[in-house]
Amino acid sequence: ETGVTQSPTHLIKTRGQQVTLRCSSQSGHNTVSWYQQALGQGPQFIFQYYREEENGRGNFPPRFSGLQFPNYSSELNVNALELDDSALYLCASSLTTGGTNEKLFFGSGTQLSVL
Amino acid sequence: AQTVTQSQPEMSVQEAETVTLSCTYDTSESDYYLFWYKQPPSRQMILVIRQEAYKQQNATENRFSVNFQKAAKSFSLKISDSQLGDAAMYFCAYRRIQGAQKLVFGQGTRLTINP
């Protein structure tokens, strides 16, 4: 079991609302990435943060935004929720040291349902 | 853009037998990483095995091994001596060497182990 924790585990929201998902990285990790996994699909990359700056983004609209804090915990914010935002949201952390061989550690995800 | 395809939505195998999961990918890069991840009902993505494209030797991890065919862009996973605990969704994933740690996942294969 990894040290990446996500909260809440489950969440139900209404279309048009806003939601914040949280991720606590494994101790010592400075990089966090977020993925969206729709039912029956593989995860899709949303974005990545390194030392509090976004340094990579997938094909998601601006209403998906994030933050990484000095303690390297992270938030994923989604505004104006749509029904298609219903999915499992996975957080993954790693230690970036300038090399390219970093191993990702995933959390167990937040299951978001939009009604 | 890179793509990963898993053509087997479901596979089943008898306990103690061997099973092979298929994966193909498309990329114009010459150096990259390939991965197999396991996702049990706990939803956490667990790294099973990793292959660096510049290495000709196929990676192995205990009962798990891969058949990496770079020219054919094929990356299959062989599980030997299947165990009940191997039952899960298996995802093939690709990642560029440089840049953000963006994993591109396939659609997944559900593996069932029959006792």
Side-chain angles (χ1 to χ4, degrees), chain B residues 3-114:
Chain B
T3 59
V4 176
T5 301
Q6 294 177 248
S7 59
Q8 305 156 316
E10 297 183 356
M11 291 284 285
S12 63
V13 64
Q14 291 295 126
E15 192 177 3
E17 296 295 307
T18 296
V19 64
T20 298
L21 308 184
S22 301
C23 172
T24 59
Y25 60 94
D26 188 28
T27 182
S28 58
E29 306 276 341
S30 58
D31 278 335
Y32 45 86
Y33 294 114
L34 294 167
F35 306 85
W36 278 98
Y37 279 89
K38 170 184 176 181
Q39 188 178 40
S42 67
R43 309 181 312 193
Q44 185 180 61
M45 284 286 186
I46 301 167
L47 178 64
V48 174
I49 200 165
R50 176 178 62 194
Q51 175 80 42
E52 290 89 348
Y54 62 86
K55 290 186 178 179
Q56 293 185 342
Q57 186 173 7
N58 289 324
T60 62
E61 287 288 344
N62 301 314
R63 298 182 296 107
F64 299 88
S65 62
V66 299
N67 183 4
F68 173 49
Q69 301 291 326
K70 190 172 183 180
K73 296 181 180 175
S74 170
F75 183 61
S76 61
L77 174 69
K78 185 173 80 171
I79 306 174
S80 303
D81 185 26
S82 298
Q83 301 176 0
L84 295 178
D86 294 334
M89 284 293 293
Y90 284 81
F91 291 94
C92 178
Y94 165 99
R95 203 197 97 185
R96 296 178 63 196
I97 293 285
Q98 299 296 334
Q101 295 175 22
K102 172 186 174 182
L103 288 170
V104 178
F105 286 90
Q107 305 94 316
T109 296
R110 180 175 301 281
L111 178 64
T112 301
I113 312 295
N114 300 313

Side-chain angles (χ1 to χ4, degrees), chain A residues 7 20-26 28-32 34 47-54 65-77 91:
Chain A
S7 62
T20 297
L21 311 182
R22 293 178 174 82
C23 173
S24 178
S25 299
Q26 184 154 317
H29 285 186
N30 56 13
T31 303
V32 66
W34 287 88
F47 46 54
Q48 176 178 293
Y49 279 79
Y50 169 65
R51 291 187 174 180
E52 304 176 53
E53 296 288 331
E54 183 182 300
S65 63
L67 283 173
Q68 187 183 30
F69 299 100
N71 65 355
Y72 300 130
S73 64
S74 175
E75 287 182 354
L76 164 64
N77 298 289
C91 166

